[in-house]
């Protein structure tokens, strides 16, 4: 069962999404446009949601965040939108104060009025505390924090098949979300795709080791300091994400559709 078909079964993304992304609107059929309008209208019937998807390298943060954006019609806050364009050395380093300020700026925009999903933020326990406080002060508290955990083997396999279009930042995966233009071409520009420098085997191991302690401290923060203050039992949700993206998203989607705590 293909990735796109399986995800469509969960109502999160229709194949027309990729179609509209890959070509001009005037080239889409009337039925395709109607289907997309219906999908967006169904999103409007759902209450606003504010979520974060965190986890180590290869956990599936980008894919899950993209699907949540589609399923709930919310704003997708990517690392690039907060930290700036990614270079061969990764994203530039920012202080917790700078990251929090930038996230607040992004989520306060009109396009995020229905909510948002933070991809890969917060990045540390100290950043989580600052971000929590800042969002609370704006009356924009997170409804759910999904913490994705994967084995080293799964992460390495996912990252080994990941490709990116350098100019736009569009991501693909030859196994789960391949380009329609072929494994090595961007489906919008037809330009060559490349792999991230830090997705090379030796870099992956270094990144996983670095995240190990960080992940433990974030888990402690959310479980011991944040969640007890909230009535919502699904505020912090650690998930084993070694399964298929379809299964992981199905579990997350079910939790995310729960009503807010009073």
């Amino acid at each position: 069962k293909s990735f796109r078909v399986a995800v469509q079964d969960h109502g999160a993304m229709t194949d027309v999404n990729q179609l509209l992304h890959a070509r001009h609107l005037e080239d889409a059929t009337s039925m395709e446009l109607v289907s997309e309008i219906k999908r967006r209208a169904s999103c409007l019937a759902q209450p606003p949601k504010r979520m974060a998807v965190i986890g180590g390298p290869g956990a599936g943060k980008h894919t899950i965040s993209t699907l949540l954006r589609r399923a709930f019609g919310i704003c997708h806050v990517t690392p690039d939108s907060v930290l700036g364009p990614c270079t061969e050395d990764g994203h530039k380093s920012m202080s917790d104060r700078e990251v929090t300020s930038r996230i607040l700026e992004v989520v306060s925009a009109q396009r995020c009025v229905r909510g948002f999903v933070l991809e890969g933020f917060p990045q540390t326990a100290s950043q989580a505390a600052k971000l929590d406080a800042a969002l609370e002060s704006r009356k924009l508290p997170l409804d759910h924090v999904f913490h994705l955990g994967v084995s080293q083997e799964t992460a390495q396999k996912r990252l080994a098949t990941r490709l990116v279009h350098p100019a736009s930042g569009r991501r693909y995966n030859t196994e789960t979300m391949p380009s329609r233009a072929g494994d090595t071409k961007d489906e919008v520009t037809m330009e060559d795709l490349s792999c991230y420098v830090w997705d090379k085997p030796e870099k992956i191991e270094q990144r996983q080791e670095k995240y190990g302690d960080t992940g433990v401290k974030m888990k402690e923060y959310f479980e011991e300091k944040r969640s007890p203050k909230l009535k919502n039992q699904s505020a912090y949700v650690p998930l084993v994400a070694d399964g298929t993206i379809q299964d992981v998203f199905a579990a997350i989607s079910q939790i995310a559709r729960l009503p807010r705590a009073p």
Side-chain angles (χ1 to χ4, degrees), residues 80 86-88 90-91 159 162-166 169-171 194-200 203 207:
D80 285 359
C86 198
T87 67
E88 289 189 355
H91 289 100
L159 295 175
R162 184 167 73 171
L163 294 170
V164 63
H165 179 239
R170 280 186 291 275
R171 298 187 193 181
S194 60
C195 65
Y196 287 113
V197 172
W198 57 89
D199 279 351
K200 293 181 179 180
K203 294 289 186 180
R207 291 166 61 205

mmCIF file with all atom_site columns, all heavy atoms in Angstrom, residues 80 86-88 90-91 159 162-166 169-171 194-200 203 207:
data_model
loop_
_atom_site.group_PDB
_atom_site.id
_atom_site.type_symbol
_atom_site.label_atom_id
_atom_site.label_alt_id
_atom_site.label_comp_id
_atom_site.label_asym_id
_atom_site.label_entity_id
_atom_site.label_seq_id
_atom_site.pdbx_PDB_ins_code
_atom_site.Cartn_x
_atom_site.Cartn_y
_atom_site.Cartn_z
_atom_site.occupancy
_atom_site.B_iso_or_equiv
_atom_site.pdbx_formal_charge
_atom_site.auth_seq_id
_atom_site.auth_comp_id
_atom_site.auth_asym_id
_atom_site.auth_atom_id
_atom_site.pdbx_PDB_model_num
ATOM 1   N N   . ASP A 1 80  ? 13.281 25.850 9.216  1.00 0.00 ? 80  ASP A N   1
ATOM 2   C CA  . ASP A 1 80  ? 13.716 26.916 8.311  1.00 0.00 ? 80  ASP A CA  1
ATOM 3   C C   . ASP A 1 80  ? 13.005 28.234 8.604  1.00 0.00 ? 80  ASP A C   1
ATOM 4   O O   . ASP A 1 80  ? 13.601 29.306 8.504  1.00 0.00 ? 80  ASP A O   1
ATOM 5   C CB  . ASP A 1 80  ? 13.446 26.521 6.855  1.00 0.00 ? 80  ASP A CB  1
ATOM 6   C CG  . ASP A 1 80  ? 14.440 25.492 6.335  1.00 0.00 ? 80  ASP A CG  1
ATOM 7   O OD1 . ASP A 1 80  ? 15.346 25.105 7.100  1.00 0.00 ? 80  ASP A OD1 1
ATOM 8   O OD2 . ASP A 1 80  ? 14.308 25.077 5.167  1.00 0.00 ? 80  ASP A OD2 1
ATOM 9   N N   . CYS A 1 86  ? 18.687 26.413 5.800  1.00 0.00 ? 86  CYS A N   1
ATOM 10  C CA  . CYS A 1 86  ? 19.670 25.442 6.250  1.00 0.00 ? 86  CYS A CA  1
ATOM 11  C C   . CYS A 1 86  ? 20.872 25.443 5.313  1.00 0.00 ? 86  CYS A C   1
ATOM 12  O O   . CYS A 1 86  ? 20.731 25.566 4.107  1.00 0.00 ? 86  CYS A O   1
ATOM 13  C CB  . CYS A 1 86  ? 19.027 24.061 6.289  1.00 0.00 ? 86  CYS A CB  1
ATOM 14  S SG  . CYS A 1 86  ? 19.932 22.907 7.284  1.00 0.00 ? 86  CYS A SG  1
ATOM 15  N N   . THR A 1 87  ? 22.069 25.331 5.866  1.00 0.00 ? 87  THR A N   1
ATOM 16  C CA  . THR A 1 87  ? 23.284 25.254 5.072  1.00 0.00 ? 87  THR A CA  1
ATOM 17  C C   . THR A 1 87  ? 23.881 23.858 5.215  1.00 0.00 ? 87  THR A C   1
ATOM 18  O O   . THR A 1 87  ? 23.319 22.993 5.892  1.00 0.00 ? 87  THR A O   1
ATOM 19  C CB  . THR A 1 87  ? 24.312 26.293 5.557  1.00 0.00 ? 87  THR A CB  1
ATOM 20  O OG1 . THR A 1 87  ? 24.761 25.935 6.872  1.00 0.00 ? 87  THR A OG1 1
ATOM 21  C CG2 . THR A 1 87  ? 23.685 27.684 5.602  1.00 0.00 ? 87  THR A CG2 1
ATOM 22  N N   . GLU A 1 88  ? 25.030 23.641 4.613  1.00 0.00 ? 88  GLU A N   1
ATOM 23  C CA  . GLU A 1 88  ? 25.684 22.338 4.711  1.00 0.00 ? 88  GLU A CA  1
ATOM 24  C C   . GLU A 1 88  ? 26.072 22.011 6.144  1.00 0.00 ? 88  GLU A C   1
ATOM 25  O O   . GLU A 1 88  ? 26.239 20.852 6.509  1.00 0.00 ? 88  GLU A O   1
ATOM 26  C CB  . GLU A 1 88  ? 26.931 22.302 3.820  1.00 0.00 ? 88  GLU A CB  1
ATOM 27  C CG  . GLU A 1 88  ? 26.604 22.271 2.332  1.00 0.00 ? 88  GLU A CG  1
ATOM 28  C CD  . GLU A 1 88  ? 27.836 22.021 1.489  1.00 0.00 ? 88  GLU A CD  1
ATOM 29  O OE1 . GLU A 1 88  ? 28.941 21.967 2.073  1.00 0.00 ? 88  GLU A OE1 1
ATOM 30  O OE2 . GLU A 1 88  ? 27.697 21.860 0.266  1.00 0.00 ? 88  GLU A OE2 1
ATOM 31  N N   . GLY A 1 90  ? 24.218 22.823 8.710  1.00 0.00 ? 90  GLY A N   1
ATOM 32  C CA  . GLY A 1 90  ? 23.004 22.784 9.518  1.00 0.00 ? 90  GLY A CA  1
ATOM 33  C C   . GLY A 1 90  ? 22.432 24.175 9.716  1.00 0.00 ? 90  GLY A C   1
ATOM 34  O O   . GLY A 1 90  ? 22.856 25.140 9.081  1.00 0.00 ? 90  GLY A O   1
ATOM 35  N N   . HIS A 1 91  ? 21.443 24.286 10.601 1.00 0.00 ? 91  HIS A N   1
ATOM 36  C CA  . HIS A 1 91  ? 20.855 25.592 10.888 1.00 0.00 ? 91  HIS A CA  1
ATOM 37  C C   . HIS A 1 91  ? 21.758 26.388 11.813 1.00 0.00 ? 91  HIS A C   1
ATOM 38  O O   . HIS A 1 91  ? 22.519 25.819 12.597 1.00 0.00 ? 91  HIS A O   1
ATOM 39  C CB  . HIS A 1 91  ? 19.476 25.419 11.549 1.00 0.00 ? 91  HIS A CB  1
ATOM 40  C CG  . HIS A 1 91  ? 18.424 24.922 10.626 1.00 0.00 ? 91  HIS A CG  1
ATOM 41  N ND1 . HIS A 1 91  ? 18.023 23.602 10.581 1.00 0.00 ? 91  HIS A ND1 1
ATOM 42  C CD2 . HIS A 1 91  ? 17.680 25.567 9.684  1.00 0.00 ? 91  HIS A CD2 1
ATOM 43  C CE1 . HIS A 1 91  ? 17.083 23.452 9.666  1.00 0.00 ? 91  HIS A CE1 1
ATOM 44  N NE2 . HIS A 1 91  ? 16.852 24.621 9.116  1.00 0.00 ? 91  HIS A NE2 1
ATOM 45  N N   . LEU A 1 159 ? 16.870 8.155  7.225  1.00 0.00 ? 159 LEU A N   1
ATOM 46  C CA  . LEU A 1 159 ? 17.732 9.252  6.809  1.00 0.00 ? 159 LEU A CA  1
ATOM 47  C C   . LEU A 1 159 ? 18.542 8.899  5.561  1.00 0.00 ? 159 LEU A C   1
ATOM 48  O O   . LEU A 1 159 ? 18.889 9.778  4.770  1.00 0.00 ? 159 LEU A O   1
ATOM 49  C CB  . LEU A 1 159 ? 18.669 9.649  7.953  1.00 0.00 ? 159 LEU A CB  1
ATOM 50  C CG  . LEU A 1 159 ? 17.961 10.225 9.190  1.00 0.00 ? 159 LEU A CG  1
ATOM 51  C CD1 . LEU A 1 159 ? 18.964 10.468 10.309 1.00 0.00 ? 159 LEU A CD1 1
ATOM 52  C CD2 . LEU A 1 159 ? 17.227 11.512 8.853  1.00 0.00 ? 159 LEU A CD2 1
ATOM 53  N N   . ARG A 1 162 ? 16.532 9.888  2.491  1.00 0.00 ? 162 ARG A N   1
ATOM 54  C CA  . ARG A 1 162 ? 15.977 11.243 2.459  1.00 0.00 ? 162 ARG A CA  1
ATOM 55  C C   . ARG A 1 162 ? 16.742 12.112 1.465  1.00 0.00 ? 162 ARG A C   1
ATOM 56  O O   . ARG A 1 162 ? 17.960 12.076 1.394  1.00 0.00 ? 162 ARG A O   1
ATOM 57  C CB  . ARG A 1 162 ? 16.038 11.874 3.850  1.00 0.00 ? 162 ARG A CB  1
ATOM 58  C CG  . ARG A 1 162 ? 15.385 13.242 3.917  1.00 0.00 ? 162 ARG A CG  1
ATOM 59  C CD  . ARG A 1 162 ? 15.182 13.688 5.345  1.00 0.00 ? 162 ARG A CD  1
ATOM 60  N NE  . ARG A 1 162 ? 16.420 14.071 6.018  1.00 0.00 ? 162 ARG A NE  1
ATOM 61  C CZ  . ARG A 1 162 ? 16.459 14.656 7.213  1.00 0.00 ? 162 ARG A CZ  1
ATOM 62  N NH1 . ARG A 1 162 ? 15.329 14.890 7.864  1.00 0.00 ? 162 ARG A NH1 1
ATOM 63  N NH2 . ARG A 1 162 ? 17.603 14.973 7.772  1.00 0.00 ? 162 ARG A NH2 1
ATOM 64  N N   . LEU A 1 163 ? 15.998 12.914 0.701  1.00 0.00 ? 163 LEU A N   1
ATOM 65  C CA  . LEU A 1 163 ? 16.582 13.831 -0.271 1.00 0.00 ? 163 LEU A CA  1
ATOM 66  C C   . LEU A 1 163 ? 15.948 15.209 -0.099 1.00 0.00 ? 163 LEU A C   1
ATOM 67  O O   . LEU A 1 163 ? 14.843 15.331 0.431  1.00 0.00 ? 163 LEU A O   1
ATOM 68  C CB  . LEU A 1 163 ? 16.358 13.325 -1.701 1.00 0.00 ? 163 LEU A CB  1
ATOM 69  C CG  . LEU A 1 163 ? 17.074 12.028 -2.089 1.00 0.00 ? 163 LEU A CG  1
ATOM 70  C CD1 . LEU A 1 163 ? 16.572 11.540 -3.437 1.00 0.00 ? 163 LEU A CD1 1
ATOM 71  C CD2 . LEU A 1 163 ? 18.580 12.227 -2.129 1.00 0.00 ? 163 LEU A CD2 1
ATOM 72  N N   . VAL A 1 164 ? 16.622 16.235 -0.570 1.00 0.00 ? 164 VAL A N   1
ATOM 73  C CA  . VAL A 1 164 ? 16.120 17.598 -0.420 1.00 0.00 ? 164 VAL A CA  1
ATOM 74  C C   . VAL A 1 164 ? 16.401 18.395 -1.686 1.00 0.00 ? 164 VAL A C   1
ATOM 75  O O   . VAL A 1 164 ? 17.372 18.140 -2.404 1.00 0.00 ? 164 VAL A O   1
ATOM 76  C CB  . VAL A 1 164 ? 16.789 18.295 0.795  1.00 0.00 ? 164 VAL A CB  1
ATOM 77  C CG1 . VAL A 1 164 ? 18.297 18.425 0.586  1.00 0.00 ? 164 VAL A CG1 1
ATOM 78  C CG2 . VAL A 1 164 ? 16.174 19.655 1.062  1.00 0.00 ? 164 VAL A CG2 1
ATOM 79  N N   . HIS A 1 165 ? 15.507 19.338 -1.963 1.00 0.00 ? 165 HIS A N   1
ATOM 80  C CA  . HIS A 1 165 ? 15.742 20.300 -3.037 1.00 0.00 ? 165 HIS A CA  1
ATOM 81  C C   . HIS A 1 165 ? 16.375 21.519 -2.371 1.00 0.00 ? 165 HIS A C   1
ATOM 82  O O   . HIS A 1 165 ? 15.695 22.253 -1.640 1.00 0.00 ? 165 HIS A O   1
ATOM 83  C CB  . HIS A 1 165 ? 14.421 20.692 -3.712 1.00 0.00 ? 165 HIS A CB  1
ATOM 84  C CG  . HIS A 1 165 ? 14.597 21.693 -4.805 1.00 0.00 ? 165 HIS A CG  1
ATOM 85  N ND1 . HIS A 1 165 ? 13.973 22.928 -4.788 1.00 0.00 ? 165 HIS A ND1 1
ATOM 86  C CD2 . HIS A 1 165 ? 15.339 21.662 -5.941 1.00 0.00 ? 165 HIS A CD2 1
ATOM 87  C CE1 . HIS A 1 165 ? 14.303 23.607 -5.866 1.00 0.00 ? 165 HIS A CE1 1
ATOM 88  N NE2 . HIS A 1 165 ? 15.131 22.862 -6.580 1.00 0.00 ? 165 HIS A NE2 1
ATOM 89  N N   . PRO A 1 166 ? 17.671 21.732 -2.554 1.00 0.00 ? 166 PRO A N   1
ATOM 90  C CA  . PRO A 1 166 ? 18.398 22.773 -1.809 1.00 0.00 ? 166 PRO A CA  1
ATOM 91  C C   . PRO A 1 166 ? 17.784 24.166 -1.883 1.00 0.00 ? 166 PRO A C   1
ATOM 92  O O   . PRO A 1 166 ? 17.726 24.879 -0.883 1.00 0.00 ? 166 PRO A O   1
ATOM 93  C CB  . PRO A 1 166 ? 19.798 22.742 -2.449 1.00 0.00 ? 166 PRO A CB  1
ATOM 94  C CG  . PRO A 1 166 ? 19.934 21.357 -2.972 1.00 0.00 ? 166 PRO A CG  1
ATOM 95  C CD  . PRO A 1 166 ? 18.564 20.990 -3.468 1.00 0.00 ? 166 PRO A CD  1
ATOM 96  N N   . GLY A 1 169 ? 14.039 23.785 -0.130 1.00 0.00 ? 169 GLY A N   1
ATOM 97  C CA  . GLY A 1 169 ? 13.915 23.050 1.119  1.00 0.00 ? 169 GLY A CA  1
ATOM 98  C C   . GLY A 1 169 ? 12.896 21.926 1.063  1.00 0.00 ? 169 GLY A C   1
ATOM 99  O O   . GLY A 1 169 ? 12.651 21.255 2.066  1.00 0.00 ? 169 GLY A O   1
ATOM 100 N N   . ARG A 1 170 ? 12.281 21.704 -0.122 1.00 0.00 ? 170 ARG A N   1
ATOM 101 C CA  . ARG A 1 170 ? 11.317 20.610 -0.245 1.00 0.00 ? 170 ARG A CA  1
ATOM 102 C C   . ARG A 1 170 ? 12.011 19.280 0.013  1.00 0.00 ? 170 ARG A C   1
ATOM 103 O O   . ARG A 1 170 ? 13.069 19.013 -0.542 1.00 0.00 ? 170 ARG A O   1
ATOM 104 C CB  . ARG A 1 170 ? 10.653 20.603 -1.628 1.00 0.00 ? 170 ARG A CB  1
ATOM 105 C CG  . ARG A 1 170 ? 9.520  21.597 -1.785 1.00 0.00 ? 170 ARG A CG  1
ATOM 106 C CD  . ARG A 1 170 ? 8.833  21.428 -3.133 1.00 0.00 ? 170 ARG A CD  1
ATOM 107 N NE  . ARG A 1 170 ? 9.699  21.834 -4.228 1.00 0.00 ? 170 ARG A NE  1
ATOM 108 C CZ  . ARG A 1 170 ? 9.819  23.090 -4.667 1.00 0.00 ? 170 ARG A CZ  1
ATOM 109 N NH1 . ARG A 1 170 ? 9.130  24.064 -4.069 1.00 0.00 ? 170 ARG A NH1 1
ATOM 110 N NH2 . ARG A 1 170 ? 10.622 23.381 -5.673 1.00 0.00 ? 170 ARG A NH2 1
ATOM 111 N N   . ARG A 1 171 ? 11.363 18.449 0.852  1.00 0.00 ? 171 ARG A N   1
ATOM 112 C CA  . ARG A 1 171 ? 11.960 17.173 1.215  1.00 0.00 ? 171 ARG A CA  1
ATOM 113 C C   . ARG A 1 171 ? 11.223 16.009 0.570  1.00 0.00 ? 171 ARG A C   1
ATOM 114 O O   . ARG A 1 171 ? 10.011 16.046 0.381  1.00 0.00 ? 171 ARG A O   1
ATOM 115 C CB  . ARG A 1 171 ? 11.938 16.982 2.742  1.00 0.00 ? 171 ARG A CB  1
ATOM 116 C CG  . ARG A 1 171 ? 12.731 17.999 3.514  1.00 0.00 ? 171 ARG A CG  1
ATOM 117 C CD  . ARG A 1 171 ? 12.769 17.593 4.975  1.00 0.00 ? 171 ARG A CD  1
ATOM 118 N NE  . ARG A 1 171 ? 13.239 18.669 5.821  1.00 0.00 ? 171 ARG A NE  1
ATOM 119 C CZ  . ARG A 1 171 ? 13.375 18.554 7.143  1.00 0.00 ? 171 ARG A CZ  1
ATOM 120 N NH1 . ARG A 1 171 ? 13.063 17.406 7.723  1.00 0.00 ? 171 ARG A NH1 1
ATOM 121 N NH2 . ARG A 1 171 ? 13.792 19.566 7.863  1.00 0.00 ? 171 ARG A NH2 1
ATOM 122 N N   . SER A 1 194 ? 19.439 16.413 -3.660 1.00 0.00 ? 194 SER A N   1
ATOM 123 C CA  . SER A 1 194 ? 20.681 15.993 -3.017 1.00 0.00 ? 194 SER A CA  1
ATOM 124 C C   . SER A 1 194 ? 20.379 15.549 -1.597 1.00 0.00 ? 194 SER A C   1
ATOM 125 O O   . SER A 1 194 ? 19.293 15.790 -1.068 1.00 0.00 ? 194 SER A O   1
ATOM 126 C CB  . SER A 1 194 ? 21.703 17.140 -3.010 1.00 0.00 ? 194 SER A CB  1
ATOM 127 O OG  . SER A 1 194 ? 21.189 18.266 -2.300 1.00 0.00 ? 194 SER A OG  1
ATOM 128 N N   . CYS A 1 195 ? 21.334 14.903 -0.981 1.00 0.00 ? 195 CYS A N   1
ATOM 129 C CA  . CYS A 1 195 ? 21.146 14.480 0.410  1.00 0.00 ? 195 CYS A CA  1
ATOM 130 C C   . CYS A 1 195 ? 21.796 15.503 1.322  1.00 0.00 ? 195 CYS A C   1
ATOM 131 O O   . CYS A 1 195 ? 22.725 16.204 0.931  1.00 0.00 ? 195 CYS A O   1
ATOM 132 C CB  . CYS A 1 195 ? 21.747 13.090 0.648  1.00 0.00 ? 195 CYS A CB  1
ATOM 133 S SG  . CYS A 1 195 ? 23.534 13.030 0.458  1.00 0.00 ? 195 CYS A SG  1
ATOM 134 N N   . TYR A 1 196 ? 21.275 15.598 2.546  1.00 0.00 ? 196 TYR A N   1
ATOM 135 C CA  . TYR A 1 196 ? 21.877 16.483 3.530  1.00 0.00 ? 196 TYR A CA  1
ATOM 136 C C   . TYR A 1 196 ? 23.261 15.951 3.898  1.00 0.00 ? 196 TYR A C   1
ATOM 137 O O   . TYR A 1 196 ? 23.455 14.742 4.039  1.00 0.00 ? 196 TYR A O   1
ATOM 138 C CB  . TYR A 1 196 ? 21.033 16.539 4.801  1.00 0.00 ? 196 TYR A CB  1
ATOM 139 C CG  . TYR A 1 196 ? 19.751 17.325 4.671  1.00 0.00 ? 196 TYR A CG  1
ATOM 140 C CD1 . TYR A 1 196 ? 18.522 16.686 4.754  1.00 0.00 ? 196 TYR A CD1 1
ATOM 141 C CD2 . TYR A 1 196 ? 19.770 18.705 4.499  1.00 0.00 ? 196 TYR A CD2 1
ATOM 142 C CE1 . TYR A 1 196 ? 17.336 17.404 4.657  1.00 0.00 ? 196 TYR A CE1 1
ATOM 143 C CE2 . TYR A 1 196 ? 18.591 19.427 4.403  1.00 0.00 ? 196 TYR A CE2 1
ATOM 144 C CZ  . TYR A 1 196 ? 17.376 18.769 4.482  1.00 0.00 ? 196 TYR A CZ  1
ATOM 145 O OH  . TYR A 1 196 ? 16.216 19.478 4.383  1.00 0.00 ? 196 TYR A OH  1
ATOM 146 N N   . VAL A 1 197 ? 24.199 16.858 4.094  1.00 0.00 ? 197 VAL A N   1
ATOM 147 C CA  . VAL A 1 197 ? 25.543 16.454 4.492  1.00 0.00 ? 197 VAL A CA  1
ATOM 148 C C   . VAL A 1 197 ? 25.495 15.696 5.815  1.00 0.00 ? 197 VAL A C   1
ATOM 149 O O   . VAL A 1 197 ? 26.192 14.708 6.018  1.00 0.00 ? 197 VAL A O   1
ATOM 150 C CB  . VAL A 1 197 ? 26.469 17.690 4.615  1.00 0.00 ? 197 VAL A CB  1
ATOM 151 C CG1 . VAL A 1 197 ? 27.815 17.287 5.211  1.00 0.00 ? 197 VAL A CG1 1
ATOM 152 C CG2 . VAL A 1 197 ? 26.675 18.333 3.246  1.00 0.00 ? 197 VAL A CG2 1
ATOM 153 N N   . TRP A 1 198 ? 24.614 16.140 6.731  1.00 0.00 ? 198 TRP A N   1
ATOM 154 C CA  . TRP A 1 198 ? 24.565 15.518 8.057  1.00 0.00 ? 198 TRP A CA  1
ATOM 155 C C   . TRP A 1 198 ? 23.747 14.221 8.077  1.00 0.00 ? 198 TRP A C   1
ATOM 156 O O   . TRP A 1 198 ? 23.559 13.620 9.121  1.00 0.00 ? 198 TRP A O   1
ATOM 157 C CB  . TRP A 1 198 ? 24.031 16.498 9.098  1.00 0.00 ? 198 TRP A CB  1
ATOM 158 C CG  . TRP A 1 198 ? 22.682 17.063 8.793  1.00 0.00 ? 198 TRP A CG  1
ATOM 159 C CD1 . TRP A 1 198 ? 21.479 16.541 9.139  1.00 0.00 ? 198 TRP A CD1 1
ATOM 160 C CD2 . TRP A 1 198 ? 22.392 18.251 8.067  1.00 0.00 ? 198 TRP A CD2 1
ATOM 161 N NE1 . TRP A 1 198 ? 20.458 17.323 8.685  1.00 0.00 ? 198 TRP A NE1 1
ATOM 162 C CE2 . TRP A 1 198 ? 20.987 18.390 8.026  1.00 0.00 ? 198 TRP A CE2 1
ATOM 163 C CE3 . TRP A 1 198 ? 23.171 19.235 7.449  1.00 0.00 ? 198 TRP A CE3 1
ATOM 164 C CZ2 . TRP A 1 198 ? 20.366 19.451 7.393  1.00 0.00 ? 198 TRP A CZ2 1
ATOM 165 C CZ3 . TRP A 1 198 ? 22.542 20.284 6.821  1.00 0.00 ? 198 TRP A CZ3 1
ATOM 166 C CH2 . TRP A 1 198 ? 21.163 20.389 6.795  1.00 0.00 ? 198 TRP A CH2 1
ATOM 167 N N   . ASP A 1 199 ? 23.294 13.783 6.900  1.00 0.00 ? 199 ASP A N   1
ATOM 168 C CA  . ASP A 1 199 ? 22.605 12.494 6.821  1.00 0.00 ? 199 ASP A CA  1
ATOM 169 C C   . ASP A 1 199 ? 23.561 11.363 6.451  1.00 0.00 ? 199 ASP A C   1
ATOM 170 O O   . ASP A 1 199 ? 23.142 10.219 6.274  1.00 0.00 ? 199 ASP A O   1
ATOM 171 C CB  . ASP A 1 199 ? 21.465 12.545 5.794  1.00 0.00 ? 199 ASP A CB  1
ATOM 172 C CG  . ASP A 1 199 ? 20.206 13.182 6.379  1.00 0.00 ? 199 ASP A CG  1
ATOM 173 O OD1 . ASP A 1 199 ? 20.182 13.414 7.603  1.00 0.00 ? 199 ASP A OD1 1
ATOM 174 O OD2 . ASP A 1 199 ? 19.259 13.436 5.614  1.00 0.00 ? 199 ASP A OD2 1
ATOM 175 N N   . LYS A 1 200 ? 24.839 11.672 6.311  1.00 0.00 ? 200 LYS A N   1
ATOM 176 C CA  . LYS A 1 200 ? 25.821 10.633 6.054  1.00 0.00 ? 200 LYS A CA  1
ATOM 177 C C   . LYS A 1 200 ? 25.976 9.787  7.319  1.00 0.00 ? 200 LYS A C   1
ATOM 178 O O   . LYS A 1 200 ? 25.822 10.299 8.440  1.00 0.00 ? 200 LYS A O   1
ATOM 179 C CB  . LYS A 1 200 ? 27.157 11.256 5.657  1.00 0.00 ? 200 LYS A CB  1
ATOM 180 C CG  . LYS A 1 200 ? 27.102 11.976 4.308  1.00 0.00 ? 200 LYS A CG  1
ATOM 181 C CD  . LYS A 1 200 ? 28.426 12.569 3.923  1.00 0.00 ? 200 LYS A CD  1
ATOM 182 C CE  . LYS A 1 200 ? 28.346 13.248 2.561  1.00 0.00 ? 200 LYS A CE  1
ATOM 183 N NZ  . LYS A 1 200 ? 29.641 13.852 2.158  1.00 0.00 ? 200 LYS A NZ  1
ATOM 184 N N   . LYS A 1 203 ? 27.750 11.102 10.392 1.00 0.00 ? 203 LYS A N   1
ATOM 185 C CA  . LYS A 1 203 ? 27.093 12.270 10.978 1.00 0.00 ? 203 LYS A CA  1
ATOM 186 C C   . LYS A 1 203 ? 25.840 11.862 11.749 1.00 0.00 ? 203 LYS A C   1
ATOM 187 O O   . LYS A 1 203 ? 25.525 12.434 12.792 1.00 0.00 ? 203 LYS A O   1
ATOM 188 C CB  . LYS A 1 203 ? 26.726 13.266 9.877  1.00 0.00 ? 203 LYS A CB  1
ATOM 189 C CG  . LYS A 1 203 ? 27.910 13.888 9.167  1.00 0.00 ? 203 LYS A CG  1
ATOM 190 C CD  . LYS A 1 203 ? 28.647 14.870 10.057 1.00 0.00 ? 203 LYS A CD  1
ATOM 191 C CE  . LYS A 1 203 ? 29.736 15.594 9.289  1.00 0.00 ? 203 LYS A CE  1
ATOM 192 N NZ  . LYS A 1 203 ? 30.468 16.555 10.144 1.00 0.00 ? 203 LYS A NZ  1
ATOM 193 N N   . ARG A 1 207 ? 24.830 12.779 15.642 1.00 0.00 ? 207 ARG A N   1
ATOM 194 C CA  . ARG A 1 207 ? 23.603 13.504 15.973 1.00 0.00 ? 207 ARG A CA  1
ATOM 195 C C   . ARG A 1 207 ? 22.743 12.714 16.955 1.00 0.00 ? 207 ARG A C   1
ATOM 196 O O   . ARG A 1 207 ? 22.135 13.275 17.863 1.00 0.00 ? 207 ARG A O   1
ATOM 197 C CB  . ARG A 1 207 ? 22.814 13.795 14.696 1.00 0.00 ? 207 ARG A CB  1
ATOM 198 C CG  . ARG A 1 207 ? 23.471 14.813 13.788 1.00 0.00 ? 207 ARG A CG  1
ATOM 199 C CD  . ARG A 1 207 ? 22.849 14.810 12.412 1.00 0.00 ? 207 ARG A CD  1
ATOM 200 N NE  . ARG A 1 207 ? 21.431 15.153 12.462 1.00 0.00 ? 207 ARG A NE  1
ATOM 201 C CZ  . ARG A 1 207 ? 20.554 14.790 11.552 1.00 0.00 ? 207 ARG A CZ  1
ATOM 202 N NH1 . ARG A 1 207 ? 20.931 14.034 10.529 1.00 0.00 ? 207 ARG A NH1 1
ATOM 203 N NH2 . ARG A 1 207 ? 19.293 15.160 11.659 1.00 0.00 ? 207 ARG A NH2 1
#
